Amino acid sequence: MADYKSNHLQEVLETHKMKHIKDVFDKYRDRRNEIKDFLNAEYGSRIYSPFDSGSYSKHTAVNTKFDLDAVVPFKYKSFNTLEDMFSDIYDKLNDKFNDRTTVRKQGVSIGLAFEEDGIDIDIVPARETRVDGYTETRNLNLHINSLDPSETGYLKTNIQSQINHISGKDNERKIIRLLKIWKFQKSKKYKSFFFELLVIKAYDSTLPTGNLWEQFKTVLQYIVDNIESSTFKLPDPGNSNNDLMSTLDSYQKTLLKSDFELMLTRIEGNEKQIEYYFEKNKEFSEEAVNNSLSYGVAGATPVSTPSSKQRFG
């Protein structure tokens, strides 16, 4: 029997697919490749090959808000300190691109905002943790940039392990994309990586079955049942000492539990409530396509830029 809630969620996901903004994405990818080529030329044998990361690499991107990042892995002896590495790559990017973009230092990345076409790219400088260790382990250290000296330092990570952690998890990716759509539409501030690990842990623990709504409901209930527990952990697959639960304080945990409890109660009470919690991207809905056809644009597929210039990620 068809399930209205599940069908609606499927339609929401369909209208948020990246294929609808292919032309825009191609511009992002070309700009990122330009930056990577420049860094390869500047640093040569001091770096390993830069690689793509972020939500698009993990197949969790949605077309209203997405990541387009690149990691630049430096060899251990390339710089004396991680801060020197971070500052040097910032200076080179600023010298090269400052007439076309705003270059800014961020938490662990360098952001380039190409304002003339609304494209933001993040470059993540990283350094292997020991001489020749990157090819063996893929472990990297990131410089933590902050205006407060007490908050600067470094973060050990393994971005390839993070990508591998979600590899092949198609059902989990659908739920992650739905939660990203919800947080974007409802202006929630939770980290996407937090939701990613939360959904994967929910699947590992509960093995959801059934249609999309039934699986989504199982994940939400798992979160409601566990999110406030003091023993509940979300270790980063790139660094087991980095617990993503620590990114939420007790109020945020309670609020997330309350949000999901209320969502489940309202949707179970009235299935039409699902339209409030998860809106289609109207630019790419069936109605929008039909309207374009009615104006004589045979075979047309709407293409658009993301609706606002948020910091992607």
Side-chain angles (χ1 to χ4, degrees):
M1 177 178 170
D3 183 283
Y4 173 80
K5 299 183 293 296
S6 185
N7 289 343
H8 179 78
L9 293 179
Q10 293 282 10
E11 291 172 7
V12 168
L13 289 175
E14 176 61 34
T15 63
H16 282 84
K17 283 186 175 180
M18 295 296 290
K19 69 178 183 181
H20 298 301
I21 57 168
K22 182 182 182 303
D23 290 349
V24 175
F25 174 75
D26 286 346
K27 289 177 68 176
Y28 276 84
R29 183 179 55 194
D30 291 346
R31 193 59 55 86
R32 180 177 60 183
N33 288 341
E34 177 188 358
I35 297 168
K36 287 162 59 179
D37 289 344
F38 165 73
L39 294 173
N40 268 320
E42 285 292 308
Y43 290 108
S45 62
R46 296 168 68 188
I47 62 173
Y48 299 99
S49 295
F51 63 93
D52 302 336
S53 63
S55 62
Y56 191 81
S57 298
K58 295 178 179 180
H59 305 287
T60 60
V62 294
N63 59 28
T64 49
K65 186 174 173 63
F66 63 93
D67 310 45
L68 212 56
D69 307 340
V71 180
V72 185
F74 282 86
K75 295 182 179 180
Y76 189 78
K77 294 184 177 180
S78 58
F79 290 98
N80 290 327
T81 68
L82 293 171
E83 186 173 8
D84 289 345
M85 171 196 70
F86 192 86
S87 296
D88 192 77
I89 196 170
Y90 168 80
D91 289 341
K92 282 185 167 55
L93 290 171
N94 193 48
D95 289 344
K96 174 66 175 179
F97 296 104
N98 68 355
D99 61 332
R100 301 161 54 194
T101 181
T102 300
V103 183
R104 60 192 183 275
K105 294 181 179 181
Q106 300 173 157
V108 295
S109 65
I110 311 297
L112 295 92
F114 294 87
E115 296 175 0
E116 78 277 7
D117 47 14
I119 291 177
D120 285 16
I121 304 292
D122 284 352
I123 302 299
V124 183
R127 190 180 69 177
E128 61 184 346
T129 58
R130 58 180 172 83
V131 175
D132 299 329
Y134 176 72
T135 54
E136 178 185 342
T137 67
R138 294 295 191 269
N139 287 336
L140 295 166
N141 283 331
L142 310 178
H143 172 66
I144 300 174
N145 176 62
S146 175
L147 295 176
D148 183 349
S150 68
E151 295 179 357
T152 59
Y154 77 97
L155 174 67
K156 181 181 177 182
T157 191
N158 190 311
I159 297 169
Q160 189 59 54
S161 292
Q162 294 173 351
I163 294 172
N164 293 343
H165 186 62
I166 197 172
S167 177
K169 294 180 169 65
D170 292 338
N171 289 332
E172 289 90 333
R173 286 177 177 137
K174 291 179 182 178
I175 306 302
I176 293 164
R177 287 195 291 268
L178 286 171
L179 288 178
K180 290 174 72 170
I181 292 166
W182 170 77
K183 87 181 187 86
F184 175 71
Q185 292 180 346
K186 304 306 178 190
S187 301
K188 304 295 181 178
K189 300 300 182 184
Y190 305 101
K191 292 181 179 295
S192 295
F193 188 44
F194 165 76
F195 277 146
E196 179 181 315
L197 297 185
L198 193 55
V199 170
I200 291 173
K201 184 163 187 173
Y203 266 82
D204 289 344
S205 301
T206 64
L207 303 176
T209 58
N211 61 33
L212 183 57
W213 164 250
E214 289 167 342
Q215 292 187 42
F216 185 62
K217 181 172 70 170
T218 299
V219 170
L220 290 192
Q221 191 60 57
Y222 176 81
I223 296 170
V224 167
D225 293 341
N226 291 279
I227 195 70
E228 290 186 303
S229 171
S230 61
T231 61
F232 187 72
K233 308 292 183 185
L234 284 177
D236 178 351
N239 178 356
S240 59
N241 293 319
N242 182 25
D243 177 18
L244 268 291
M245 284 304 299
S246 66
T247 63
L248 273 66
D249 59 29
S250 58
Y251 173 75
Q252 290 172 308
K253 294 174 187 178
T254 299
L255 184 61
L256 186 60
K257 176 180 179 178
S258 176
D259 280 341
F260 286 171
E261 278 184 320
L262 186 60
M263 184 191 302
L264 287 171
T265 299
R266 287 182 170 175
I267 294 173
E268 288 294 284
N270 177 4
E271 63 181 9
K272 289 287 187 179
Q273 284 290 311
I274 197 128
E275 297 179 12
Y276 165 76
Y277 285 104
F278 299 94
E279 301 174 27
K280 300 176 190 177
N281 186 336
K282 293 182 174 60
E283 292 181 79
F284 309 116
S285 66
E286 184 178 349
E287 292 82 0
V289 173
N290 288 338
N291 286 339
S292 70
L293 292 175
S294 70
Y295 284 101
V297 189
T301 300
V303 174
S304 171
T305 58
S307 56
S308 59
K309 290 182 60 178
Q310 293 89 2
R311 154 79 167 81
F312 294 141

